Amino acid sequence: MSDKKNIDILISEVGPRDGLQSVNATMPTELKLKWLTALADSGLREIEVGSFVSPRLLPQMADAAELVAHLRKRPDVFVTALVPNLKGAEAAFNSGVQKITLPISVSEPHSLANIRKTHEQVYEEVRSIVSLRNERFPHVEIESGLSTVFGCTIQGEVREQDVIGMALRMVELGVDEVGLADTVGYANPAQVRRLFNRLRGEIGAKAGSAHFHNTRGQGLANVVAALEAGVTTIDASQGGLGGCPYAPGASGNIVTEDLVYLLESMGLRTGVDIDKLVAAREWLKQGLPGEPLYGFIPDAGVGKNFHYAGGAR
């Protein structure tokens, strides 16, 4: 997303995709639409609405095109989606999405488990997707979301030079930006700071978002490290929903509500109203009854001395 006027850090809400694909229940479309509206009303400016995948594999994502159409009515929201292959990319492009994220596993065993492709097959798929975009949908942005960057539950250690090598290959293939994801929650702040600094040094402005899981309780600490390395877009999921079904032991994403509080309390403008954001959880509770939702801020509140970085709302 190129427009970041009046904010310092862009929060990309990934709950409607990463969160909902990770639960067994399927949230009714009518409640998803109300949830998306509430998220947008809270001030979130980028929302990943779903994945363009086979509904047989992920029935939770079968209504992705309808969700894109709904949010595209909001000029204040940048609408994104995840796509694993060329077929999904074409469907996403035709739906009117503004950016797609390609899940690119640095760990080849994870790639085989997640999208059933070797690295060489992934490169061919990315080449085809970029070619399609350039020919027919030049206005759509393409992000390579590098996963298992800080370690993999299947492969184990993932070398930093392999991460940088994959990032360079993605840029060579024509993507617009490269983000880094801690798919299984192995990352620590020193590692995050070091790798994002290396990434910016290698690909400059094409270095994109940070995506952290809180599996081992270091999610927000890793956010601070990413900020210190110059990252200005952070993924998060309302209620901490999320996790990769093909990465054993990977629990939820960092909680959007807690992230907003962290950033605003540090004097960084997000454009998000915490009270409205917390209120949006009600649609999740209705759509996924009994599903655990996480976060400290929804329970504890923001406290009497809290002030928004951008001033009173």
Side-chain angles (χ1 to χ4, degrees), residues 134-146:
N134 292 347
E135 291 175 8
R136 295 175 49 196
F137 306 93
H139 58 286
V140 182
E141 297 179 14
I142 299 178
E143 175 190 34
S144 285
L146 302 192

Side-chain angles (χ1 to χ4, degrees), residues 38-296:
L39 291 173
D41 288 345
S42 76
L44 288 164
R45 302 190 188 186
E46 181 168 300
I47 300 176
E48 187 178 55
V49 300
S51 299
F52 282 82
V53 296
S54 167
R56 179 177 56 83
L57 295 175
L58 279 177
Q60 303 96 315
M61 301 288 108
D63 54 4
E66 185 175 349
L67 303 183
V68 171
H70 174 73
L71 265 195
R72 283 307 311 270
K73 299 173 185 175
R74 298 283 300 251
D76 55 332
V77 178
F78 194 73
V79 183
T80 78
L82 182 137
V83 302
N85 51 41
L86 179 61
K87 182 178 180 180
E90 185 168 18
F93 291 152
N94 284 323
S95 77
V97 75
Q98 291 164 288
K99 182 176 87 171
I100 63 169
T101 297
L102 310 177
I104 309 295
S105 302
V106 180
S107 159
E108 192 163 47
H110 181 264
S111 181
L112 289 167
N114 191 34
I115 59 174
R116 301 182 181 88
K117 286 183 172 61
T118 66
H119 281 165
E120 287 302 321
Q121 290 171 321
V122 166
Y123 301 149
E124 287 303 312
E125 200 81 12
V126 173
R127 186 177 290 108
S128 298
I129 291 169
V130 171
S131 177
L132 174 65
R133 186 279 303 271
N134 292 347
E135 291 175 8
R136 295 175 49 196
F137 306 93
H139 58 286
V140 182
E141 297 179 14
I142 299 178
E143 175 190 34
S144 285
L146 302 192
S147 60
T148 62
V149 163
F150 300 97
C152 173
T153 51
I154 303 173
Q155 173 178 302
E157 180 184 0
V158 174
R159 301 184 307 169
E160 290 187 4
Q161 55 262 46
D162 292 340
V163 175
I164 297 303
M166 183 67 79
L168 290 169
R169 187 64 184 271
M170 291 298 112
V171 170
E172 178 188 318
L173 290 170
V175 306
D176 301 298
E177 61 183 68
V178 178
L180 301 184
D182 182 21
T183 312
V184 295
Y186 279 170
N188 65 70
Q191 188 183 22
V192 168
R193 190 181 303 108
R194 183 174 64 247
L195 193 48
F196 268 104
N197 277 328
R198 285 190 64 179
L199 183 70
R200 288 171 64 83
E202 292 285 352
I203 66 174
K206 289 185 182 292
S209 63
H211 180 108
F212 298 118
H213 286 228
N214 202 41
T215 313
R216 291 165 181 82
Q218 300 206 86
L220 292 184
N222 288 331
V223 167
V224 175
L227 297 175
E228 292 171 349
V231 177
T232 58
T233 299
I234 308 290
D235 292 355
S237 174
Q238 180 154 61
L241 291 178
C244 177
Y246 302 105
S251 58
N253 293 268
I254 56 173
V255 178
T256 310
E257 298 91 320
D258 293 349
L259 175 63
V260 172
Y261 179 78
L262 170 73
L263 296 173
E264 292 279 345
S265 66
M266 292 173 65
L268 297 167
R269 299 169 300 165
T270 65
V272 180
D273 184 304
I274 291 180
D275 292 333
K276 292 181 179 180
L277 181 61
V278 171
R281 291 166 70 103
E282 292 305 313
W283 296 113
L284 263 184
K285 292 176 182 177
Q286 288 189 38
L288 299 173
E291 188 67 33
L293 299 180
Y294 304 96
F296 292 100

